[in-house]
Amino acid sequence: MITTTDYEKMKLKELRRLARKRGIKGYYRMRKKDLVEALTSLSRVLTDENVKKITNLLEGNPRMSELRKIAKSMGLKLRRKMKKSEIISLIETELSDRLRKELGVGGRSYVGYREELRESVCEDIEERSVPHSYNEDRLKALPVNPNWIHVYWDFSSDTYSKVKSGKLKLLVHDVTYIIFDGKNAHRTFEFDVHPDMRKYYVEVPNPRANYIVELVIDRDGEYKVIMRSNVVETPPSCPGNLGREEWVELKSMRMEKMKMREPLVKSGRARVDSSEMVKKDG
Amino acid sequence: MDEIVGKSGYFLLVLHAHLPYVHHPEREEFLEERWFFEAMTETYIPLLETFEKLSKDGVEFKLVISFSPPLMEMIVNPSMQEKYGRHLRKLLELAEKEVERTREEDPRKHRMANFYRERFERALEIFENLDGNILAGFIELHKSGFLEIITCNATHAFLPLFREYPHVIDLQIGLAVEIYERLMGFPPNGMWIAECGFFPDLDSHLSKFGIKYFFLDTHGFTFSETPPRYGVYRPIMTPEGVFAFARDPQSSEQIWSAEIGYPGDFNYREFYRDIGFDREYDYIKPYIDKSGVRVNTGIKYHRITGKVDLSEKDLYDLDRAIETANNHAHDFLIKKREQVKYLQERFEGEIPIIVAPFDAELFGHWWFEGPWFLDKFFRLVSKDEILGTILPLDFLKLIDKVQIITPAQSSWGAKGFNDVWLNGKNDWIYPHLHKASERIIEILGILNRKDKLKMRAFTQMIREFLLAQASDWPFIMTTGTSVEYAVRRIKRHIGRFNRIYESLKGNGIDVNELERYELLDDIFSEISHEDILRILEGGK
């Protein structure tokens, strides 16, 4: 929603262009102050909230007095003896018209608003069921690519009250080829985090490696572990070197092992990816 | 099989056809349903037409095509068919108006208007001859052995980010197999793993549900612990006994790349100049979105022309475009022949296979001339002595030994890993999706299997979960178009999932609400709770 101050910041030329687009009569004669006022008053009627409010009223069973009030606020002239349905239709047409002028063809139409409204009641309930927190302790790590991992966490309210004012750190342990007992990591990296960040991206040194992340509270250099993550495996970024080859004969399913030989052909990574050409505009 | 023995190498085209489930039964028209309509008119029907013509002309051609379960569902859904039929008839009406209108305009435009009218008429004819179910046409071609239809994990979830939840992986793979069987009448041989997203051990899930082969990006092979001796030019077998084929980077670049690939040729049709935007508002209004938003109609009169502003695009010349597509098919054949010869030499006589997977929608939708290119290419290959086309399992019959390899974590997305589906723009979805994954197990533990209403609610809960899992939503958030829709979809499905979860945990299932969800999110309606339970509790 554009406010008066937004308009005030615009140049006269821009305001004129906007005014023309929105069908304000005699815009070319107006001074900046008048243009700002005209545009603001137009927007005032057409805020999302207003359109929804009017739509809501029309959808219900509006009283005649309410209808007249809306019509008046929109500057519509009503004939005397007009029927309810006629006034509603008049308001709807005007609303559609103005929306088109206001938003250009790229905007949502009045019909769009109305259909959305019918669903919005149910949607509100559904969206409220996508909580900010699940009220439980959780620390998860996911691989992004050979050198980055993603970590996210959540707290139970108990834990949260304990940690919210403390000094929190993420410890990222390199646990490749070992069973981690809390102390035996090859190396550990530390990052200061705030409990409310809820997520973090960590650059890690090794592809093809295993990491475990811990969330700890730092009490004067003494770390108390609050949560520990799953093991996360970073993908490789180059060919491996296991040292042996295994083959299977398809008819007999007989296995054969041998020392690793050089590949007969080198093929690097494809330089194009699935998003390059296709689905450019969704 | 005699005729195929003796070729020096093979080319395997893999088309992956997929769209997210965008069926909105509650509305007569819905903007995002146009994604499906456009793909039908521009890709699926033209491809079907191309392949049918090749088969009628006696051309020997082979390819693999995967239909994702959401796409299959949309294709066979009667309400979607009705909506598409209506859309196509309206498009035809617009094309007729264009024929009249362009009489006064440039003759090249008029010619194209006639071309579009005929094209849409033919599309409608194909569509109606198959009673609206174009999948039936593809199944015919599958049965006659020209193409092999495979499936894709159930709702195109990007599986590496669900690695911690084996039951979710099972659900994605097991359900896909189940749905394929129901629609096709036999089980699938192969599976396209969404975005080629692989992690070690995924193969054990594939093998559990009888999948014989799948596809990977190049580095899924080459970055493995033992880089394969034949590179990406021979299939490998995973430790779980599933075969994998990997993408040839060269073919991808030649066809796919927006910069150097064929589709960027100046003679080809310009995607972004459409009469949906070019014609005056009042004229075009009945043919764009109901809300008044201008959208693509599919009638386009311009060619790419060069690196010029959209307003300076030259008019499309049909003859030149066809000629260009033919030339590109020739060029591609020569390149593939050379590649095969080179590979065979290096392989000491062993036969190479060049695997070229693409999104099916590239052909026709993005690259308008793509189906003509394929038509010409297949005609040329069928007469070639060196190069042939072949289906995956038939290729395996030609070779004695395969290397056993554990493929590397990889995907075919930008940068080759998980970046596209996990970054600052979309990472907020995973806490919800993971929590939901755990809640499924929780509900399984307390579910009274005899309570019919609860089982119904549970089934719908799984549907909501699957719909939320589609890789399309995080993809859209990353690329930045239609983001609002993607966010709304995820929130809706997660919200509905959580509502049902709460009701199953408590005692109150609101039947009206449940019915509403069943109506709005009607994917996989033929799947029963028995199927789901069987898959979740120990697989097949």
Side-chain angles (χ1 to χ4, degrees), chain B residues 30-43:
Chain B
F30 198 92
L31 183 64
E32 279 75 11
E33 286 180 349
R34 279 179 178 264
W35 297 352
F36 174 71
F37 301 159
E38 282 176 25
M40 283 286 280
T41 313
E42 294 177 344
T43 293

Side-chain angles (χ1 to χ4, degrees), chain B residues 513-531:
Chain B
E513 189 176 277
L514 179 59
E515 269 173 9
R516 190 170 156 265
Y517 295 164
E518 285 172 337
L519 173 88
L520 293 176
D521 300 323
D522 62 346
I523 196 169
F524 306 150
S525 48
E526 68 282 11
I527 291 292
S528 70
H529 64 262
E530 281 102 349
D531 300 318

Side-chain angles (χ1 to χ4, degrees), chain A residues 100 105-112 115-116 119 122-123 125-127 129-132 134 136 138 140-146 150 152 177 199 201 208 230-231 233-251 253 255-256 258 260-282, chain B residues 26-27 35 161 163-165 217-219 222-233 237 243 247 249 252-253 256-258 263 271-272 281 290-294 343 346-347 359 362 366 396 399-404 408-409 412-419 422-424 427 430-432 434-435 438-439 475 481 491-492 494-496 498-499 516-517:
Chain A
R100 184 133 46 88
V105 286
R108 209 187 298 127
S109 73
Y110 176 67
V111 179
E115 298 220 358
E116 216 166 79
E119 273 188 5
C122 301
E123 259 166 46
I125 299 170
E126 285 154 19
E127 295 221 350
S129 301
V130 181
H132 173 62
Y134 285 92
E136 61 166 15
R138 160 192 297 267
K140 271 205 76 97
L142 295 163
V144 178
N145 59 38
H150 172 70
Y152 73 81
Y177 301 127
K199 65 174 186 179
Y201 286 87
R208 214 190 287 273
N230 54 302
V231 180
E233 182 190 348
T234 51
S237 61
C238 64
N241 190 1
L242 194 63
R244 65 186 144 78
E245 274 176 34
E246 278 181 285
W247 292 78
V248 62
E249 203 179 306
L250 287 175
K251 281 209 182 78
M253 288 310 271
M255 304 266 284
E256 203 179 301
M258 60 183 84
M260 194 170 108
R261 298 165 292 176
E262 268 296 295
L264 291 169
V265 58
K266 285 214 164 62
S267 23
R269 282 244 300 108
R271 271 175 291 165
V272 287
D273 62 74
S274 62
S275 56
E276 186 172 323
M277 177 84 203
V278 179
K279 295 177 183 167
K280 250 188 279 188
D281 69 354
Chain B
E26 76 278 19
R27 305 272 184 88
W35 297 352
L161 297 174
R163 187 178 180 174
E164 298 290 309
Y165 303 103
D217 199 358
T218 314
H219 54 302
T222 53
F223 290 177
S224 67
E225 291 294 342
T226 32
R229 184 152 171 81
Y230 296 110
V232 293
Y233 302 105
M237 194 170 112
F243 295 103
R247 170 159 86 140
S252 294
E253 250 171 62
W256 197 301
S257 162
F271 182 86
Y272 292 100
Y281 190 73
K290 213 165 109 186
S291 67
V293 178
R294 283 184 184 262
L343 289 169
R346 301 221 113 195
F347 290 178
D359 279 340
L362 172 67
W366 294 105
L396 284 161
I399 59 179
D400 300 328
K401 282 197 290 187
V402 291
Q403 197 168 352
I404 301 178
Q409 264 194 77
W412 80 344
K415 295 185 191 166
F417 303 96
N418 307 344
D419 302 62
L422 177 60
N423 58 60
D427 51 21
Y430 295 100
H432 299 294
H434 291 161
K435 184 66 194 165
E438 287 164 25
R439 285 183 162 179
F475 178 90
T481 38
K491 284 195 175 168
R492 245 180 236 191
I494 292 290
R496 288 169 191 172
N498 283 337
R499 297 272 303 165
R516 190 170 156 265
Y517 295 164

